[in-house]
């Protein structure tokens, strides 16, 4: 599934990081709603936790703002105006910034987006995907196998002609920077609506899960999305509180695997660091802060690794032998010797799709529970894991 703002995405990025991205200059919206447009009282932001998403009701218009949608973005915002089908576009709004809802056909560039579409029962709206072999959902895989979902390619191999012929109401992408602006810039010239999704940059599990409200909005299933998020928030906070209420030692946790002598380490202000802390763990780099994963030399990681009690999220490995093959020295790390190794690849589809990267974003309580079971099995009578598996 390189480097994104959190090491958590490293495996996901290897799979599909080469997606088409757009330049913020083309998408940034400097338009403002005129007094005639805001015919009703402006409502509050419907988003509680997400820092990179705003959804506001302005009369019969829903204003969606995507904030700093790629790593390193600063003071960048992209605004869309959602109107019900059949409504006239008010004066003062650029038609290119309007999306008519409900969206009927969507192309998704991330499997995380697919999971949120599926959660509100709009699978049938998905007509395209970048890398269909990495879909985990059996329903969506069957649609892809039947030709109902087309593989639109990625970056320099993006099939722009296919995308235009599919005539999507919306193409949803995620950005790792604006360096690939040319690809989506061409789509914009061809009249295709392209929206960034910055859920992967959220540092709090519930903030990431709250992006389901965006999908609820564009598909006119706000109540369903709100209900899903409310249930997830309740489950997560109850589990977090249960763990926090116990007087226990916090095992030290390390993550990842080096690539060519470089170890991309998730900072302490990352999504996975928060999950480890909430699960009663002590992440080795908890005191670090960065907007991207930190590239460290193997030797620099080595010193801290000697203190780790558990090793999680070990790239794509399925066995201890695979770790040793990366670098023989890794087998001398104490938690390797103690076999305290767990990877987030228990749910893998035949084509290699990993459900951790698909549904995990909207079910952080399941990830929290898995890590809790690993670090504190005494707290959980049922020790079955959902996304994780022990590496042997």
């Amino acid at each position: 599934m390189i480097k994104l703002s959190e090491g958590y995405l490293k495996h996901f990025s290897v799979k599909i990081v080469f997606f088409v991205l757009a330049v913020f200059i083309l998408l940034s919206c400097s338009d403002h709603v005129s007094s005639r447009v805001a015919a009703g009282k402006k409502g509050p932001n419907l988003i509680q936790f997400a820092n990179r998403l705003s959804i506001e009701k302005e009369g019969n218009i829903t204003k969606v703002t995507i904030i700093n949608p790629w790593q390193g973005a600063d003071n960048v915002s992209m605004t869309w105006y959602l109107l019900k089908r059949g409504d006239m576009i008010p004066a003062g709004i650029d038609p290119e910034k309007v999306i008519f809802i409900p969206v009927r056909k969507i192309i998704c560039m991330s499997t995380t987006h697919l999971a949120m579409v599926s959660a509100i029962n709009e699978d049938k709206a998905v007509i395209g995907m970048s890398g269909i072999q990495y879909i985990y959902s059996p329903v969506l895989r069957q649609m892809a196998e039947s030709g109902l979902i087309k593989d639109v390619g990625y970056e320099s191999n993006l099939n722009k002609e296919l995308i235009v012929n599919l005539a999507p109401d919306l193409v949803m992408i995620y950005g790792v920077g604006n360096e690939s602006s040319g690809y989506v810039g061409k789509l914009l010239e061809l009249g295709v609506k392209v929206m960034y999704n910055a859920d992967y940059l959220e540092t709090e599990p519930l903030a990431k899960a709250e992006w389901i409200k965006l999908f609820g909005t564009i598909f006119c299933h706000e109540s369903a999305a709100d209900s899903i998020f409310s249930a997830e928030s309740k489950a997560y906070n109850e589990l977090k509180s249960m763990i926090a209420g116990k007087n226990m030692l916090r095992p030290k946790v390390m993550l990842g695997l080096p690539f060519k002598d470089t170890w991309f380490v998730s900072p302490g202000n990352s999504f996975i660091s928060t999950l480890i802390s909430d699960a009663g763990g002590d992440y080795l780099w908890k005191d670090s802060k960065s907007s991207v994963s930190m590239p460290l030399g193997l030797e620099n990681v080595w010193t801290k690794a000697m203190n780790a009690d558990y090793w999680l999220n070990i790239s794509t490995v399925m066995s201890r032998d695979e770790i040793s093959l990366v670098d023989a020295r890794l087998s001398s790390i104490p938690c390797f010797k103690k076999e305290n190794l767990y990877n987030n690849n228990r749910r893998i589809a035949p084509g290699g799709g990993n459900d951790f990267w698909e549904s995990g974003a909207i079910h952080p309580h399941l990830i929290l529970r898995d890590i809790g079971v690993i670090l504190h099995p005494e707290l959980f009578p049922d020790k079955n894991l959902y996304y994780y598996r022990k590496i042997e």
Side-chain angles (χ1 to χ4, degrees):
M1 249 247 86
I2 311 180
K3 239 6 302 92
L4 304 182
S5 65
E6 52 186 74
Y8 214 98
L9 276 216
K10 183 180 179 185
H11 168 60
F12 178 69
S13 299
V14 168
K15 302 286 189 182
I16 36 186
V17 71
F18 306 105
F19 293 141
V20 48
L21 307 170
V23 62
F24 77 87
I25 295 176
L26 292 171
L27 278 177
S28 293
C29 180
S30 59
D31 301 315
H32 296 283
V33 182
S34 67
S35 57
R36 289 175 53 196
V37 172
K41 182 179 179 181
K42 180 178 177 180
N45 184 4
L46 303 179
I47 299 299
Q48 299 173 273
F49 301 99
N51 291 315
R52 297 174 186 263
L53 174 65
S54 171
I55 301 176
E56 301 168 285
K57 298 287 186 179
E58 299 184 349
N60 63 338
I61 297 173
T62 300
K63 179 182 176 183
V64 172
T65 305
I66 313 298
I67 304 157
N68 292 331
W70 57 75
Q71 61 179 24
D74 182 32
N75 199 28
V76 176
S77 65
M78 303 171 178
T79 299
W80 294 92
Y81 301 99
L82 311 186
L83 276 68
K84 289 291 182 66
R85 291 184 179 278
D87 286 359
M88 297 292 292
I89 300 176
I93 287 185
D94 182 351
E96 293 185 359
K97 305 302 180 183
V98 171
I99 298 172
F100 287 102
I101 57 175
V103 166
R104 293 171 180 167
K105 296 193 295 182
I106 189 170
I107 293 175
C108 297
M109 293 296 190
S110 165
T111 55
T112 298
H113 308 162
L114 293 181
M116 295 193 177
V117 173
S118 293
I120 55 175
N121 297 316
E122 285 290 348
D123 295 297
K124 65 183 183 299
V126 180
I127 58 171
M129 172 66 194
S130 183
I132 58 176
Q133 69 270 33
Y134 298 121
I135 298 174
Y136 179 84
S137 163
V139 172
L140 292 169
R141 274 208 323 273
Q142 180 58 48
M143 289 175 62
E145 291 168 1
S146 301
L148 297 176
I149 298 178
K150 306 294 186 181
D151 194 329
V152 300
Y154 54 88
E155 205 168 74
S156 59
N157 294 319
L158 186 73
N159 192 332
K160 293 180 284 292
E161 182 179 359
L162 173 61
I163 291 175
V164 172
N165 288 338
L166 288 172
D169 296 317
L170 183 65
V171 175
M172 185 167 286
I173 70 172
Y174 75 94
V176 295
N178 63 355
E179 65 274 11
S180 298
S181 59
Y183 303 112
V184 167
K186 182 61 176 179
L187 289 179
L188 296 174
E189 292 176 10
L190 295 171
V192 178
K193 301 292 177 69
V194 183
M195 178 186 284
Y196 272 87
N197 184 312
D199 63 350
Y200 81 100
L201 291 170
E202 300 288 355
T203 60
E204 297 292 329
L206 290 179
K208 180 178 289 192
E210 194 174 24
W211 279 74
I212 193 172
K213 292 182 180 179
L214 173 62
F215 292 87
T217 299
I218 65 175
F219 284 104
C220 295
H221 293 319
E222 291 94 338
S223 294
D226 289 348
S227 179
I228 291 169
F229 178 71
S230 178
E232 184 60 40
S233 179
K234 182 175 184 293
Y236 188 95
N237 285 324
E238 287 180 349
L239 186 54
K240 175 183 173 181
S241 296
M242 183 276 286
I243 295 172
K246 305 297 181 181
N247 184 17
M248 58 194 178
L249 295 175
R250 286 179 166 261
K252 296 186 181 299
V253 179
M254 61 180 289
L255 300 169
L257 199 66
F259 177 72
K260 294 183 178 180
D261 295 327
T262 299
W263 205 307
F264 290 94
V265 174
S266 296
N269 58 328
S270 64
F271 172 80
I272 185 60
S273 176
T274 300
L275 279 161
I276 291 170
S277 177
D278 290 349
D282 184 13
Y283 179 47
L284 290 179
W285 283 270
K286 65 182 180 183
D287 295 326
S288 63
K289 288 188 178 181
S290 176
S291 60
V292 297
S293 291
M294 305 177 297
L296 301 178
L298 180 58
E299 290 75 15
N300 292 332
V301 176
W302 195 267
T303 303
K304 281 183 176 288
M306 290 298 142
N307 298 315
D309 299 301
Y310 289 88
W311 191 350
L312 308 181
N313 296 18
I314 317 170
S315 187
T316 62
V317 305
M318 304 294 286
S319 70
R320 296 172 78 243
D321 289 342
E322 291 179 56
I323 298 174
S324 300
L325 288 174
V326 173
D327 192 307
R329 292 173 294 176
L330 297 175
S331 60
S332 66
I333 295 176
C335 59
F336 180 96
K337 294 180 176 180
K338 295 177 182 177
E339 300 186 6
N340 286 337
L341 312 172
Y342 292 84
N343 213 355
N344 51 358
N345 56 1
R346 185 173 186 270
R347 296 168 63 81
I348 301 292
N354 186 340
D355 195 32
F356 180 89
W357 304 116
E358 190 162 313
S359 70
I362 55 172
H363 296 306
H365 86 278
L366 293 177
I367 302 177
L368 178 63
R369 185 190 179 282
D370 273 5
I371 299 177
V373 168
I374 293 168
L375 303 183
H376 299 287
E378 71 280 3
L379 301 182
F380 299 87
D382 178 4
K383 295 176 176 51
N384 291 324
L385 299 174
Y386 191 79
Y387 292 116
Y388 281 78
R389 59 187 293 273
K390 186 177 178 64
I391 299 299
E392 300 176 340

